[in-house]
Amino acid sequence: MTESMAPSAPRTARERVRTELSSEIKEIALTQLADGGASALSLRGIAREMGMASSALFRYFRSRDALLTALIIDGYSALADAAETAEAAVHTGSVEDRWRAICHGVRGWAVTHPEQYTLIFGSPIPGYAAPQDTIGPASRVPLLLGALLADLMASGGYNPTDHPEPSPSPSPRR
């Protein structure tokens, strides 16, 4: 049996509770973001809504930035899952069909998850600097589109040298 086919080890009750509470924290945080933007995100407010001490919440997310990072990673991952699933459904089709599927997958996800879309593509959050952990998930859709371009070029459907350089735009008049 290969490693990927091996059954996963059963999770402990503590792990299940941790996963469930982390998910609930993130759901409440997304609601706060949807209601008032990033400035409205409050770990103490989340703890209050969950009926737990704020110090207990810090066992799940050590800071507001750690929670934001988790939400951003989840958002990029869900967006990429939607794009990849859409593309996989038409993968044997034309490049145009695949392009269209990816675009529809991205748009469909964005319409269904506006608070997450705004979090990852909206205005920067003052004081927040995304850590390196966000790069991989953020790269998945661009890499999917890059693979599509590589397939188009490999098929001879696009050759960048066939297109002349754009002419410089005229200088503005004063």
Side-chain angles (χ1 to χ4, degrees):
M1 182 182 287
T2 66
E3 192 173 313
S4 63
M5 294 174 55
S8 61
R11 294 187 320 168
T12 65
R14 176 178 279 165
E15 289 170 326
R16 287 192 311 271
V17 168
R18 181 174 187 77
T19 299
E20 289 171 17
L21 284 175
S22 294
S23 293
E24 185 177 349
I25 291 165
K26 290 191 276 187
E27 286 175 31
I28 294 169
L30 285 172
T31 301
Q32 285 184 357
L33 289 170
D35 291 345
S39 62
L41 184 60
S42 163
L43 293 178
R44 292 187 194 288
I46 292 169
R48 197 172 31 254
E49 188 169 332
M50 293 180 70
M52 64 192 309
S54 59
S55 59
L57 189 94
F58 288 98
R59 290 185 208 134
Y60 298 90
F61 297 98
R62 70 184 181 286
S63 66
R64 177 179 173 264
D65 284 0
L67 176 55
L68 280 168
T69 298
L71 293 171
I72 289 167
I73 289 171
D74 286 354
Y76 277 128
S77 297
L79 173 66
D81 289 346
E84 290 166 354
T85 299
E87 191 278 338
V90 298
H91 185 71
T92 58
S94 69
V95 171
E96 293 83 10
D97 289 342
R98 293 167 58 203
W99 173 267
R100 199 173 299 112
I102 293 168
C103 292
H104 285 290
V106 167
R107 184 180 187 286
W109 180 85
V111 168
T112 306
H113 302 91
E115 63 287 336
Q116 286 179 290
Y117 183 85
T118 300
L119 178 63
I120 59 178
F121 292 115
S123 299
I125 300 166
Y128 174 78
Q132 295 289 321
D133 300 359
T134 60
I135 293 173
S139 300
R140 285 175 56 195
V141 172
L143 288 172
L144 182 63
L145 293 170
L148 188 65
L149 178 60
D151 289 350
L152 180 62
M153 291 175 75
S155 72
Y158 176 75
N159 182 346
T161 61
D162 290 344
H163 302 283
E165 289 293 318
S167 58
S169 47
S171 301
R173 295 184 184 200
R174 293 188 189 242

